[in-house]
Amino acid sequence: MSVEYVAPVEAKLISMREQYQQILRSQRRWSLRDLFSTPELDIVEYCRDLTPNRFGESACREVERWCRQHRIWLEPGGAHYNSMTPYLHPNTINLERMTVIGLFNAILYWLNDTVGRDRHAHLSRTQQQHARATIDRLCAMLETGNLPPGPVPVEVATHEFLQRLSLDADPRWLRNTLDSTVAHLRPANRDQNARALGQLLDVGDYIALRADMSGMYPVLAFCEYGRDTYLQWGPIAAAGLDTDLKRLRELTVQIGGLMNDLFSFEKECITGGADSNLIPIILLNATDTTLADAIEHAAALVREQLTEFHALRTGLTARCAGLADTALGIIIGEHIDDLTGAVQATWVWQVRTARYKSASIFTENHEH
């Protein structure tokens, strides 16, 4: 349930940023490792064995060359987002597929960093109208495959990407993945701040919206493309594993989006002035809650998701090993490994990238 956006919400946002400055001056810092870990599950140890894809460096070079050619390379952000793909897709089977996945991510990140939800409020009215028109045209292209007349560079790039992807992608998977991408693009590239919406989302509604905005559903789909092995949900349901596997996928998406909210809180909400983030959503929906309380509450939600993910993964893996249909068990097991890799990458890449480094209140983000 949402509530109307009113002046007290604005006042709490001002107070949130004042509290942040006080915490920063006090030199208090939270360790995200400590916030996300439990005695049974240390996030660093859980992610220690993640190795970026062996074709990653070559693919990243080709993606940068291609993006520069199509005039959608961002400085200085391009190197940061480009480096993410080999972490998210460690099991991709060859360079061509690794490169295609990188092109997809590059297009999404170019949109995120130019017209995305935390950038939209900083655009002029004319720029916002142009951004909405571009997103509408891109979504139409994903639905029809047709390049619109008078295309801008990102549309030309997307059309070429689609042609390349369709050469070796499973047709049913391709249709579902493009539909999932449309479902991501529309909410991810509009102003989702409370003032623009005219309302404040509650925590549950925000988490549901964040799942679509995160782009993690297409990420999981591209894990199938990367292996050239596609999930068949009929046999999975017949084996009685569909409910748990879908929940594991849902947890992977939620962890990806909400863990990012903590890493990106300062970049988006303090520097960028946004409030479409789990920390301010918690703060604004509660009475007598401090910023410190909201940070710890947000981290607790992620920690609970990580705990559930690990327990569910362990159980599902054991059930796959006992399947009479060993081929099905292998396919599901590989997808579980891909989901685990996506969760690990969410932590590892955000710790290693310079994208979120600053004079931070979080140890892992603090720029020494």
Side-chain angles (χ1 to χ4, degrees), residues 122-194:
H122 300 284
L123 303 177
S124 68
R125 184 181 297 270
T126 299
Q127 289 172 324
Q128 289 178 352
Q129 292 173 344
H130 178 73
R132 285 193 292 271
T134 298
I135 294 301
D136 286 342
R137 285 154 62 102
L138 283 174
C139 289
M141 191 192 312
L142 292 173
E143 291 165 348
T144 67
N146 298 326
L147 184 66
V152 298
V154 70
E155 294 167 351
V156 174
T158 301
H159 186 257
E160 184 177 312
F161 157 76
L162 288 174
Q163 291 179 314
R164 193 163 170 175
L165 175 64
S166 64
L167 291 175
D168 57 4
D170 175 82
R172 180 179 297 180
W173 171 90
L174 180 60
R175 183 67 268 152
N176 291 338
T177 301
L178 297 184
D179 289 345
S180 175
T181 303
V182 169
H184 158 69
L185 286 178
R186 294 198 185 280
N189 295 287
R190 58 169 291 188
D191 191 342
Q192 296 289 0
N193 292 314

Side-chain angles (χ1 to χ4, degrees), residues 211-227:
D212 286 331
M213 292 192 299
S214 71
M216 286 296 293
Y217 280 117
V219 165
L220 301 190
F222 272 97
C223 290
E224 298 176 61
Y225 171 80
R227 284 188 185 270

Side-chain angles (χ1 to χ4, degrees), residues 21-92:
Q21 294 301 331
Q22 292 170 0
I23 294 170
L24 190 65
R25 286 194 295 270
S26 74
Q27 297 187 343
R28 175 183 181 180
R29 290 194 183 91
W30 283 268
S31 163
L32 291 171
R33 176 182 186 174
D34 291 346
L35 288 174
F36 293 147
S37 298
T38 66
E40 298 76 26
L41 183 66
D42 180 278
I43 186 67
V44 172
E45 293 304 318
Y46 193 68
C47 300
R48 191 173 297 281
D49 65 348
L50 178 70
T51 302
N53 186 274
R54 64 190 186 278
F55 304 110
E57 290 186 9
S58 297
C60 285
R61 287 194 296 270
E62 173 58 17
V63 169
E64 179 175 350
R65 184 203 64 77
W66 187 89
C67 288
R68 290 187 183 279
Q69 175 187 330
H70 287 83
R71 292 183 289 158
I72 60 167
W73 182 258
L74 293 169
E75 299 288 7
H80 299 317
Y81 69 66
N82 196 21
S83 70
M84 175 186 63
T85 304
Y87 288 93
L88 280 173
H89 299 276
N91 301 310
T92 298

